[in-house]
């Protein structure tokens, strides 16, 4: 799920950068990749905690959190790879 969400995040981010004709450095894209991984993993953790403690009929699972973090990592790596290789200023 988070691989798809992260992929959409990167597509929209790159589309907005290209529309504005704003090209930045590799370091900027690495920071965005780190932020997107942390944001999606945090969102997944909050959802799992809410499922465990805020509902009576659902439970949070560690494997869900791990698989969501793996998907977020793949999306962040893939998005940063495309952004750095295609759009970053080569220095």
């Amino acid at each position: 799920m988070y691989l798809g969400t992260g992929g959409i995040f990167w597509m929209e981010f790159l589309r907005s950068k290209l529309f504005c004709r704003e090209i930045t450095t590799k370091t900027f894209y690495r920071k965005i990749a780190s932020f997107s991984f942390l944001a999606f993993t945090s969102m997944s953790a909050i959802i799992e905690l809410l499922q465990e403690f805020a509902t009576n009929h659902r439970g949070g699972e560690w494997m869900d959190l791990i698989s969501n973090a793996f998907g977020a990592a793949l999306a962040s790596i893939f998005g940063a790879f495309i952004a750095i290789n295609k759009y970053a200023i080569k220095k």
Side-chain angles (χ1 to χ4, degrees), residues 35-83:
F35 171 76
S36 68
F37 171 73
L38 290 174
F40 290 131
T41 304
S42 298
M43 185 171 70
S44 174
I46 289 169
I47 289 170
E48 292 300 323
L49 288 171
L50 287 174
Q51 284 180 350
E52 181 67 32
F53 297 113
T55 64
N56 293 329
H57 59 282
R58 296 198 58 154
E61 295 183 16
W62 285 106
M63 289 307 292
D64 282 347
L65 180 60
I66 291 170
S67 63
N68 291 341
F70 184 69
L74 284 177
S76 296
I77 291 168
F78 186 66
F81 178 77
I82 290 173

Side-chain angles (χ1 to χ4, degrees), residues 16-18 20-26 28-29 83-84 86-90:
S16 69
K17 287 289 181 189
L18 292 176
C20 297
R21 307 264 191 254
E22 189 176 325
I23 300 173
T24 56
T25 62
K26 292 179 183 181
F28 177 75
Y29 289 121
I84 288 171
K86 191 164 183 165
Y87 302 112
I89 296 172
K90 309 290 190 233

